[in-house]
Amino acid sequence: MLRYCLFILLLLSFNTQAKDLVKLKGRIEAHQKDSIEVSYNDNYLAYYPKKFISKVDKNGNFSCTFPTPPDVYTIVQITYGDKLAEIMVMPGDSLVMSVNAKHFDSTIKYSGRGSNIQNFLAAHTVQKGRMNQYTLKVRNHLQKEPDAFLKAIDNELDAEKKFIENWKTPLPASFARYWTAYYQYYNYFFIQQYPQTHQMLKVRRYTDTIPAANYEVVKGMAVSFNDSLIQVPSYLLYLTGVAETGLRANNFTWLGNDTTQMIRFEDSAYKVAYKIMPDKSLEYYMAQSLYGRAKGQRLHRTEDQLMMFKKRWPQSSYLTLLDKQVGIAKRLAPGQPAPDFEIRKPDGGIMRLSDLKGKVVYLGFWAGWCRQCVGEMMGERMVKDLIRKKPLEFVYASIGTDTAMERMITEKYNIDGLFTNFVGGWDAKEVQQYGVQSVPAYFLIDEDGNFATQKAPLPAQTNELIREIEKLFK
């Protein structure tokens, strides 16, 4: 929820010392908006950004004080209308920002404690783009053959190292280490993604048949762990895939719907992780794996994994979110009732999901800004063609706010089904009830109005989806 910074400061003043806060004030020339927002994500398992809004007065002045995690750098995004800037702060930083709204990126300057780092980031934005744009550069190289790919991403990394080496004033050694690690581990992450993604780009479709040559890229990747990097986003991405990718590179994987073999693969990855990862990195890896798989695997397996995690890390900071995620998995388990909500009839009237009892329902959460969502919706035509004259309904639940654009999309691509829109987006009651944390998200509901599977296949998994639907017709 958006909160005014001064109000937050009053609430925090009773239990938060000044050294745990960051101060940001400044002046915006040629200002047009009456507020400025700062946001960051300090949750390693999921994206739940903390947001703070400050008023901009008639002269363009603003002032904001907000808490950040202790003893680590935090990447903070500053949003002013459609303008974005990034800073990387430590608790205790006190920054003064000046900027002209008409020439936003090229006029940002900072003074005060911590300003050297922020001026470095501002210059980097002008010359090379924001930090997160590095992923776009590396992703563009995935289509190249192995040797060319590795050379290209090494060149990207070298360019970032040279940029910080050539900076005009000294930067803290801790920041320089963070900077190098940030880009290095993004390279490692995309090396992990290379074998399958490169093949999919090559054949222009989904495939899990990967040539052995693609994995030669992975075999040359460094296995490098460091618990002090646990706050670096790219290091966390590296952790999530390093064990699994290593197994696949050594020809241990599974194909299709072989659940038994998939579980063996996952358990083997856990054994590898316990063997090679230091404690904090292992704790994150196991927490992220449990969080990501909780809603898709058998409930008893999820509950067993949570019990084992609590036994190993009884005081883990991840437990609150893990308990919540397992609670969602229990609500979504097969046989549990699907939460009810309103749906628009084709004639403009209103009905409810519960009115569709007696039919199988394939429910998809989507948004107009989600390209994969639209692609999946278009892919449902094959399912509709193959399952005709059966009691089956397709329901599309949008979390987007641009209803006009979404209506245009459904008309343009002739998407046939029932529609609803949840006001409030990610925070909508219905979105929370269904535990939707990313889109597209699909649910299969049986004729009694209960969840039919722990994890519904996507439309792109056409054969598997048809098999699951066919099972439900009485």
Side-chain angles (χ1 to χ4, degrees):
M1 184 181 232
L2 299 181
R3 297 159 286 183
Y4 288 109
C5 290
L6 292 178
F7 177 64
I8 286 295
L9 180 58
L10 289 174
L11 290 178
L12 292 169
S13 62
F14 296 101
N15 55 18
T16 304
Q17 298 181 2
K19 66 183 180 64
D20 297 323
L21 300 173
V22 171
K23 297 179 180 179
L24 174 66
K25 64 180 181 178
R27 184 169 185 273
I28 304 172
E29 295 182 20
H31 71 97
Q32 298 175 336
K33 305 294 182 180
D34 61 1
S35 65
I36 192 168
E37 176 187 289
V38 296
S39 62
Y40 63 87
N41 184 49
D42 64 349
N43 187 316
Y44 298 154
L45 295 187
Y47 184 65
Y48 292 110
K50 294 184 176 179
K51 299 181 180 181
F52 307 90
I53 288 183
S54 175
K55 292 279 190 180
V56 177
D57 68 20
K58 63 180 182 180
N59 296 316
N61 298 309
F62 69 92
S63 180
C64 183
T65 303
F66 54 94
T68 59
D71 304 320
V72 297
Y73 287 104
T74 300
I75 300 174
V76 176
Q77 181 170 283
I78 301 173
T79 306
Y80 178 70
D82 61 351
K83 310 294 185 183
L84 298 175
E86 62 185 2
I87 55 177
M88 190 182 294
V89 297
M90 286 281 283
D93 282 353
S94 182
L95 300 167
V96 180
M97 173 186 179
S98 65
V99 63
N100 186 306
K102 292 183 178 180
H103 308 283
F104 197 80
D105 288 343
S106 62
T107 60
I108 292 180
K109 288 185 173 54
Y110 298 91
S111 60
R113 181 176 178 177
S115 60
N116 193 21
I117 290 175
Q118 318 319 327
N119 285 323
F120 168 82
L121 291 173
H124 184 272
T125 297
V126 172
Q127 297 179 45
K128 299 184 69 63
R130 288 186 292 277
M131 290 176 68
N132 62 6
Q133 291 175 302
Y134 183 79
T135 60
L136 300 177
K137 297 177 184 177
V138 178
R139 186 180 294 125
N140 288 336
H141 299 307
L142 288 168
Q143 61 187 318
K144 297 178 179 177
E145 294 305 308
D147 289 345
F149 166 73
L150 290 174
K151 182 177 180 180
I153 66 173
D154 282 346
N155 289 339
E156 298 286 4
L157 177 60
D158 287 344
E160 296 298 342
K161 289 179 179 179
K162 288 178 181 177
F163 189 87
I164 194 170
E165 289 170 0
N166 295 331
W167 184 241
K168 54 191 175 184
T169 56
L171 293 164
S174 58
F175 173 77
R177 286 193 297 271
Y178 185 113
W179 182 264
T180 302
Y182 179 90
Y183 294 105
Q184 178 69 77
Y185 280 94
Y186 264 125
N187 276 16
Y188 290 158
F189 171 70
F190 279 101
I191 287 173
Q192 294 172 9
Q193 302 299 305
Y194 179 85
Q196 184 170 40
T197 305
H198 174 74
Q199 193 64 18
M200 289 171 60
L201 290 170
K202 199 169 185 177
V203 300
R204 298 187 179 182
R205 60 177 173 80
Y206 174 83
T207 180
D208 54 9
T209 303
I210 314 300
N214 288 16
Y215 280 106
E216 293 302 314
V217 168
V218 175
K219 291 179 180 179
M221 181 183 69
V223 177
S224 178
F225 301 110
N226 188 337
D227 278 351
S228 69
L229 301 177
I230 205 70
Q231 82 280 10
V232 180
S234 54
Y235 179 68
L236 301 182
L237 287 173
Y238 166 78
L239 288 179
T240 61
V242 64
E244 288 87 342
T245 305
L247 289 175
R248 291 191 182 98
N250 287 284
N251 300 316
F252 185 4
T253 185
W254 80 95
L255 295 175
N257 303 312
D258 189 340
T259 304
T260 301
Q261 186 71 356
M262 180 185 71
I263 291 174
R264 283 185 58 203
F265 177 84
E266 291 174 357
D267 288 344
S268 296
Y270 297 150
K271 289 178 182 178
V272 170
Y274 267 88
K275 184 177 180 180
I276 65 176
M277 292 184 186
D279 190 66
K280 287 184 179 179
S281 297
L282 177 63
E283 179 188 3
Y284 171 79
Y285 170 79
M286 296 303 297
Q288 180 60 53
S289 179
L290 176 55
Y291 182 86
R293 289 172 171 150
K295 295 188 297 180
Q297 63 186 5
R298 300 263 177 109
L299 183 58
H300 70 83
R301 180 170 169 82
T302 294
E303 292 175 324
D304 288 347
Q305 288 176 341
L306 179 61
M307 181 178 66
M308 292 173 63
F309 185 91
K310 288 181 175 180
K311 185 176 181 179
R312 172 68 185 260
W313 295 285
Q315 304 300 320
S316 175
S317 61
Y318 305 129
L319 283 177
T320 299
L321 199 55
L322 289 177
D323 282 333
K324 180 180 178 182
Q325 190 78 337
V326 174
I328 293 172
K330 291 178 180 179
R331 294 204 315 267
L332 304 179
Q336 293 297 310
D340 206 7
F341 55 83
E342 289 186 348
I343 302 171
R344 293 193 308 274
K345 293 181 180 179
D347 62 7
I350 299 296
M351 63 183 299
R352 300 190 67 81
L353 178 67
S354 55
D355 295 330
L356 296 175
K357 284 186 178 181
K359 296 183 177 181
V360 173
V361 175
Y362 190 48
L363 168 63
F365 285 77
W366 73 294
W369 42 259
C370 170
R371 294 176 61 184
Q372 183 185 349
C373 297
V374 178
E376 294 286 358
M377 292 162 68
M378 292 170 62
E380 292 170 15
R381 292 173 185 165
M382 185 178 296
V383 180
K384 293 172 181 175
D385 288 341
L386 292 172
I387 303 180
R388 295 179 179 177
K389 299 181 180 180
K390 294 284 184 74
L392 173 65
E393 287 284 357
F394 287 75
V395 177
Y396 304 97
S398 168
I399 67 167
T401 57
D402 193 340
T403 55
M405 178 185 69
E406 290 172 353
R407 190 177 299 111
M408 180 187 69
I409 289 172
T410 57
E411 291 175 355
K412 177 180 178 181
Y413 296 109
N414 195 26
I415 306 299
D416 181 32
L418 299 173
F419 298 88
T420 189
N421 180 270
F422 294 137
V423 177
W426 297 111
D427 296 323
K429 177 187 69 175
E430 297 86 353
V431 174
Q432 298 294 314
Q433 288 175 328
Y434 278 83
V436 175
Q437 294 158 338
S438 63
V439 289
Y442 282 89
F443 300 87
L444 196 54
I445 301 168
D446 66 22
E447 294 174 339
D448 296 321
N450 300 324
F451 291 113
T453 61
Q454 190 74 49
K455 183 178 182 181
L458 295 173
Q461 300 167 292
T462 306
N463 293 334
E464 183 181 349
L465 176 57
I466 290 174
R467 282 195 298 269
E468 292 295 333
I469 292 174
E470 291 281 9
K471 292 178 186 177
L472 301 178
F473 293 128
K474 295 179 180 178

